[in-house]
Amino acid sequence: MIKPKYQWITREDNPKIDDTLIRQFNITPIMQRILEGKGIVRETELKAVLEDQPIFHDTELLSDMTKAVTRIQQAITNQEPILVYGDYDADGVTSTTIMVDALRRLGAVVGWYIPNRFTEGYGPSEAAFQNAVDEGVSLIITVDNGIQGHDEIEMVQQQGVDVIVTDHHEIGPTMPSAYAIVHPMHPDYDYPCRYLCGAGVALKVASALLGDQLPTTYWGLAAIGTVADLVPLTDENRAIVKKGLKQLNDDKPVSVSAILEQAGYDDAITEETIGFLIAPRLNAVGRLDDASLAAELLMAEDEEEALFLAEQVEHFNQERKDIVSTIADEALAMAATFVERGHQFLVLAQESWHEGVLGIVASRIVDTYHLPTMVLNLDVEKEHAKGSARSIEQVSMFDALSQQSQLIQKFGGHHMAAGLTLDLNDVDALREGLNHWMHEAYADVSLQPTKTVDAVVCLEDITIDNIQAMHRLRPFGMGFSKPLLQLAGMQVQQAKAMGQQQKHLKVSFENTSMQAIYWNNGPRAAELMSGQALDMIGELQINEWNGNRSAQFILMDMASNERQILDYRSKNKKLPTFETDDNVSYFIHPSRDKTHDNEFYYGEAIPAHYEKCVFRDLPLTMEDIEATLQQLDVSQIYLVFAHERSVYFEGIPQQALFKQCYKALMQKGQTNLAQDGMALCQHLNVKPNDLKFMLKVFLDLGLIAQKDGIIETVQQSDKRPIESSRVYQARVQRLEVEKQLLYDEFSAVKAWIETSLARTK
């Protein structure tokens, strides 16, 4: 039995797409099931997904838009110095680029500033704002930040500088006293798309300022920010990404070309290109150094300049990967100890962890343990801890940190992510407080991760044409994920590890050329047997190799209701390392001493909570292992049957040989085994092990005596048959054990075990 990592949620009673709409939009059966699974069945919804008619809501519907535009136009007319104050991530630098370029096109006197993650942190910086005042700036426009900058905004407003906040992050209980706040979630307005990213809000402001003169390049920049910031890819966000991807492919900016050249990518730009190649590189700069370099690259118009800046960005990206790898290893080890203690909110902190990559590390911990996680760098010199937090669907990180705000100097974020700073001495108290809050607020809430299946499909659905048709549903992202499909009862043909260090799993199936790939799950090949029925969820794609195209299933999770009996009898097969021994029992030879609580002798009573068992040593008798099987109710049985020496091929000497051996001993009178042993073997034409066995039988029956290596025969009045010896019977039983458990075909061993288990039931 293979238990799934996730709880699979299959939507039931989905509304159906009308037949006329199916014909109108040329929807294939597999597309129909996917769209219905996502709840997209009405004509307007289908148009938004399947047609190139982007939704672009009236800019005036956004909060304070008219007020903000009027003030910006006034500043341009009066040539007032304007500062665009951005952020250091991909959304922040794309927002900054859009806003600065729009103002320049209108003739504004404009400069821009992106705070340093390490010296200033997220959001408005008092020093930077004061410096802007001192330099004569009379209007500050924040992009992708500002909604939490109450004190800094109040400070400059009192000095006669107006602040226009354009942001999309969570709004707290109060809002800053800015001149205008352009925010899609403003409580006094009902903007249709409440989850624009920072670049999306900047695009809306630029559109209000430029009207029909809005450059198409802004759509590409806004698409990068939208995908990078993981906002829901629905409604207006979807339109931004669709239109932006078209622009990026039709007229690729020199900055994007330079980034992709450094990444070694020359194919079409998709949302995955942004998510896995472009956005990580733009983010890498701000994670390690001053993010201004990323903004300069996006603003570059000269090809040589763009390539020069992109080379520097690529250097930061490679360095970022190395740093993440080191910290993630340390954080995972630390997380394991807290999980063992029962923590439900992981707060991991250590000195010398690079603050710029802690969000990535936190995401990896969440992927591993599916618990809300905070990763902090402890700065002893500055006496504060600073870092990032990532959450799970069930838990709002913003709510969690708000509950502990008395311990936090500064934080900002939303449901799934946040950044924060706190006093060094409050880390332990914050860890305790967050865990207490979790245990209280989520005592009755399941934290098991879930995967929502969009459609249950069968093998007949999986064709190249159907997979290509599914591409019409793109782009995919948050809120409109890649179709997650479920296949049931797939018969495994072969499972094997592949790739460097055998990290990945490849599975082939009976009656189909489609193969499945399970990234970073190579060791799980040991769990799959030929002929096993497997249920799985994942994504479909087309694999192209040497000019051939075939369907490929990218596994996200798998499950099987069959009890598994796995063959590890070969010395070449290494038993897998289990995540925990809490649910694994081991059966050992009675000659061994028990070293752990989960070790048992064959036939011994065992607790019922074990899910897996390992027959590590060979049992003494078949009756012993049958007694164990009578108790077992496990999902996996691993057959190892380790032993020091096999006697199966030695067999048992014939009766005549026993007589001949005893006669030789009688004739000798006294036999010095050390001196005469080999001569006796040659006389009897037997191997030393056979001679040793016969002598043990004689000793057991009292036919000989041994002292100091000298053997003498013993006269007996009643002769006992050789077969009555316990040593002889032990050999008989050992031969039967080896024959059935070691040297029989695995299919026969498996069938015998299954029969024994069924008989027990």
Side-chain angles (χ1 to χ4, degrees), residues 289-300:
D289 206 314
D290 189 339
S292 299
L293 172 64
E296 289 173 7
L297 171 57
L298 291 178
M299 294 179 191

Side-chain angles (χ1 to χ4, degrees), residues 557-574:
D557 201 7
M558 60 185 184
S560 175
N561 289 324
E562 295 182 4
R563 178 188 282 110
Q564 294 174 281
I565 301 172
L566 304 161
D567 190 6
Y568 281 84
R569 295 176 299 170
S570 169
K571 292 182 180 179
N572 295 326
K573 294 186 73 173
K574 184 179 179 183

Side-chain angles (χ1 to χ4, degrees), residues 7-244:
Q7 178 187 353
W8 302 355
I9 300 174
T10 305
R11 298 184 180 96
E12 298 178 357
D13 301 324
N14 294 320
K16 304 300 180 184
I17 302 174
D18 188 84
D19 289 344
T20 58
L21 294 176
I22 291 173
R23 291 190 294 272
Q24 177 184 337
F25 291 101
N26 191 26
I27 297 172
T28 65
I30 194 169
M31 286 173 61
Q32 178 185 349
R33 289 200 290 277
I34 291 167
L35 288 166
E36 289 172 349
K38 291 182 179 292
I40 298 171
V41 296
R42 292 188 287 272
E43 184 175 7
T44 53
E45 298 165 340
L46 293 169
K47 279 185 177 181
V49 172
L50 298 172
E51 291 188 353
D52 291 327
Q53 297 179 0
I55 298 170
F56 200 62
H57 301 299
D58 186 351
T59 57
E60 297 297 322
L61 297 175
L62 271 166
S63 64
D64 288 352
M65 180 63 85
T66 301
K67 188 177 182 182
V69 168
T70 301
R71 180 66 184 89
I72 292 170
Q73 290 171 336
Q74 176 189 333
I76 294 171
T77 299
N78 297 333
Q79 290 293 280
E80 299 176 45
I82 302 173
L83 175 70
V84 175
Y85 188 93
D87 187 30
Y88 41 68
D89 65 1
D91 188 21
V93 295
T94 51
S95 305
T96 302
T97 303
I98 291 170
M99 190 67 74
V100 169
D101 189 81
L103 294 173
R104 284 175 176 170
R105 287 175 184 272
L106 292 169
V109 178
V110 59
W112 55 274
Y113 184 84
I114 294 178
N116 186 288
R117 179 192 296 264
F118 310 105
T119 58
E120 296 168 286
Y122 171 77
S125 158
E126 181 178 338
F129 269 33
Q130 185 60 54
N131 187 60
V133 174
D134 296 343
E135 291 186 356
V137 169
S138 58
L139 176 62
I140 297 174
I141 304 173
T142 70
V143 290
D144 193 33
N145 76 96
I147 199 64
Q148 296 293 334
H150 294 66
D151 295 340
E152 297 82 1
I153 291 171
E154 176 70 22
M155 178 196 73
V156 295
Q157 292 263 143
Q158 289 180 355
Q159 297 182 66
V161 175
D162 290 330
V163 178
I164 296 174
V165 171
T166 75
D167 199 358
H168 72 111
H169 291 94
E170 292 278 357
I171 298 174
T174 61
M175 285 185 286
S177 58
Y179 178 86
I181 297 176
V182 183
H183 198 297
M185 289 188 288
H186 196 293
D188 296 337
Y189 292 76
D190 189 20
Y191 189 69
C193 184
R194 297 179 63 78
Y195 296 101
L196 288 172
C197 71
V201 178
L203 177 68
K204 301 297 291 189
V205 175
S207 176
L209 288 168
L210 296 170
D212 294 339
Q213 302 303 310
L214 186 76
T216 58
T217 53
Y218 291 5
W219 293 94
L221 290 166
I224 293 171
T226 300
V227 173
D229 220 50
L230 302 178
V231 292
L233 207 57
T234 55
D235 198 80
E236 195 168 23
N237 286 334
R238 182 174 184 79
I240 289 171
V241 174
K242 285 187 79 169
K243 194 166 182 177

Side-chain angles (χ1 to χ4, degrees), residues 25 181 243 271 282 371 378 404 437 499 584 714 720 738:
F25 291 101
I181 297 176
K243 194 166 182 177
E271 67 275 19
L282 293 175
L371 292 171
L378 303 178
Q404 306 296 321
W437 176 76
V584 185
V714 176
R720 296 164 56 193
E738 291 191 16

